[in-house]
Amino acid sequence: MNLAKLCAARAAEGRPVTAGLIGAGKFGSMFLAQVPHVEGLEVAAIADLDPERSRAACREVGWDEARIAATHFVTDGAELAAMDGVEVVIEATGHPRAGIRHAQAAIAAGRHVVMVNVEADVLAGPVLARRAAEAGVVYSMAFGDQPALVCEMVDWASSNGFRVVAAGKGTKYLPSYHEVTPDAVWEHYGLTAEEAKKAGMNPQMFNSFLDGTKSAIEAAAIANATGLSVPEEGLAFPPCGADDLARVLRPREIGGQLERSGMVEVVSSLERDGRPVFRDLRWGVYVVIEAQSDYAAACFAQYGLPTDATGRYAAMYRPFHMIGLELATSVLSAALRSEATGAPLGFHATVAAIAKQDLGPGDRLDGEGGYTVWGRVMPATRAAHDEVLPIGLAQGVTLRRAVAKGTALRFADVEIGEDEAVRLYRDCLAVAQG
């Protein structure tokens, strides 16, 4: 609640909080749009493979030429992380291996890290967070993105004495979406391929939101940061609106759809026949809580919380998230309070690469949102036991043998070297196994 006050004090002292941004895409651009309006916050440097694109992004979001001239533009994220005058490094590339490399460079240089790159976080976040703590810096999830907002709601519930029954986000989902490829993605967004291309929209990236992969990645991030469990067979995506959260997202033994209490789940904004859900939560986040006394349950009713029929289960939700427009919260929290807006505490879940089609020897995997695989969330202990290949490592690798459609790929199925990303992932699996 005091970030604006603390930030203004830094401004008055003549030493604003300084951030470096790696990746000037949509998320990064939304953050840049707000920077001129936050007293005491400056962006010292921006790294992108195309510096001119970075400058163009700054102009598009409203930066004046003086601010652009005062900013360093570089092509190398690791170079940015080591620059003098950068307190907080924002990793917003979306590429897991790049994200890991940049985070390690920032930690080595004594910089706080805000990891917008959820793909990197679910691959190696627990190890990166531990290394950051050992170095005396903060490793943080990105506020404005749904996982960090869910973590905030879970923390609110736990710190006020409620039992967390379920937490998660909303999305648009039908079972058939798992098979969608980039060739067919735009019809689901109401766009033509020409319109999407003109707008600079990447079909594979947008397909990762549609085919269930992004939801699985975000669910794993939430589980790792909160200690909540993920479903054994992957997200169920139950159709559910804001008014029915407390009824649907409770344990099966009392009429809900959860395996047990304390789960991460994603709700769909579509009924299974394609009809829209009433008061859907497509853009939002939620937490379902349980009263631990009759008195608290009575208070739920007295203060108008939407509850289930027992009155003991209630839901709180936020209908929207504003992505990069809210990212300054994470930057300022790290710099001014040495506090993360969510961070992995353990390795409870990962995201398995599942074959979208029958695959054969010599086939090359194209990763998240592509033609060959989609991502399904999985308990980390199960993934470790079965040597399952995570979606974050399923790009640019070649199959050794046939894998049937719908099957989780294993490390033994692919030709893959032991690079740093693989090693860190195996370190995370060791954490999961105790």
Side-chain angles (χ1 to χ4, degrees):
M1 293 182 182
N2 296 307
L3 285 177
K5 179 181 176 181
L6 293 171
C7 197
R10 284 280 298 265
E13 295 168 4
R15 37 183 213 97
V17 173
T18 54
L21 172 66
I22 306 175
K26 181 62 173 177
F27 203 118
S29 293
M30 293 174 78
F31 167 69
L32 295 174
Q34 297 304 106
V35 169
H37 313 294
V38 181
E39 184 183 11
L41 174 63
E42 299 290 344
V43 170
I46 301 173
D48 194 275
L49 295 176
D50 183 353
E52 286 308 312
R53 184 177 68 173
S54 298
R55 290 186 177 90
C58 291
R59 293 187 181 97
E60 184 178 357
V61 303
W63 279 28
D64 59 33
E65 292 302 320
R67 185 177 293 274
I68 294 172
T71 304
H72 294 284
F73 292 88
V74 297
T75 58
D76 187 350
E79 176 188 348
L80 178 146
M83 289 176 60
D84 291 337
V86 173
E87 288 180 76
V88 183
V89 173
I90 304 163
E91 215 300 332
T93 65
H95 299 287
R97 281 185 166 85
I100 290 170
R101 184 172 65 254
H102 296 150
Q104 288 183 308
I107 293 166
R111 317 300 190 216
H112 302 302
V113 177
V114 174
M115 186 61 90
V116 176
N117 189 335
V118 192
E119 290 80 1
D121 182 71
V122 301
L123 196 62
V127 173
L128 295 173
R130 185 190 68 211
R131 291 183 179 178
E134 291 169 351
V137 296
V138 172
Y139 174 93
S140 178
M141 299 165 77
F143 200 81
D145 217 0
Q146 287 166 304
L149 299 182
V150 174
C151 289
E152 180 187 47
M153 299 188 85
V154 169
D155 183 70
W156 163 83
S158 299
S159 62
N160 285 288
F162 302 115
R163 179 179 290 117
V164 176
V165 178
K169 51 166 269 185
T171 195
K172 179 183 178 182
Y173 170 85
L174 289 174
S176 60
Y177 289 173
H178 292 311
E179 300 178 11
V180 177
T181 70
D183 290 340
V185 66
W186 298 127
E187 64 189 69
H188 298 285
Y189 286 94
L191 297 169
T192 65
E194 291 74 20
E195 290 170 333
K197 184 177 181 179
K198 185 176 180 180
M201 299 165 73
N202 182 321
Q204 186 160 341
M205 182 189 74
F206 276 83
N207 196 44
S208 73
F209 287 93
L210 190 71
D211 72 5
T213 301
K214 187 68 75 173
S215 289
I217 289 171
E218 295 189 336
I222 293 166
N224 292 338
T226 62
L228 296 173
S229 302
V230 296
E232 288 290 330
E233 301 303 322
L235 297 168
F237 296 96
C240 184
D243 301 323
D244 294 320
L245 290 165
R247 177 182 62 82
V248 173
L249 296 165
R250 55 183 182 158
R252 291 172 187 159
E253 62 190 34
I254 56 171
Q257 297 194 29
L258 299 180
E259 294 172 14
R260 57 188 176 277
S261 188
M263 304 287 293
V264 179
E265 186 56 88
V266 175
V267 295
S268 176
S269 63
L270 296 177
E271 301 287 355
R272 289 297 188 256
D273 61 4
R275 290 178 298 116
V277 166
F278 178 66
R279 281 180 31 86
D280 71 79
L281 206 64
R282 179 178 178 183
W283 308 108
V285 296
Y286 75 89
V287 63
V288 173
I289 57 177
E290 181 184 1
Q292 301 202 66
S293 68
D294 292 339
Y295 183 86
C299 291
F300 287 173
Q302 293 162 6
Y303 286 86
L305 271 72
T307 67
D308 73 331
T310 72
R312 299 191 71 86
Y313 294 84
M316 294 287 281
Y317 62 91
R318 191 182 199 245
F320 301 103
H321 67 294
M322 297 173 68
I323 319 180
L325 297 181
E326 300 180 80
L327 183 60
T329 296
S330 291
V331 175
L332 300 181
S333 183
L336 301 173
R337 295 199 298 221
S338 297
E339 185 175 274
T341 51
L345 304 174
F347 199 57
H348 306 290
T350 186
V351 181
I354 309 297
K356 276 189 179 181
Q357 54 183 290
D358 290 337
L359 302 172
D363 286 346
R364 194 167 178 83
L365 303 182
D366 57 357
E368 179 185 350
Y371 295 85
T372 57
V373 290
W374 60 277
R376 184 174 69 206
V377 74
M378 178 181 288
T381 51
R382 178 177 169 188
H385 180 270
D386 294 343
E387 279 283 295
V388 169
L389 181 73
I391 192 74
L393 298 176
Q395 184 164 8
V397 294
T398 302
L399 263 68
R400 291 173 171 171
R401 55 195 182 196
V403 177
K405 178 181 177 180
T407 303
L409 280 79
R410 302 186 180 194
F411 275 93
D413 296 326
V414 298
E415 300 282 354
I416 189 167
E418 288 287 321
D419 65 5
E420 183 67 0
V422 174
R423 286 191 290 270
L424 290 184
Y425 177 71
R426 291 195 186 281
D427 286 347
C428 288
L429 290 181
V431 171
Q433 294 173 305

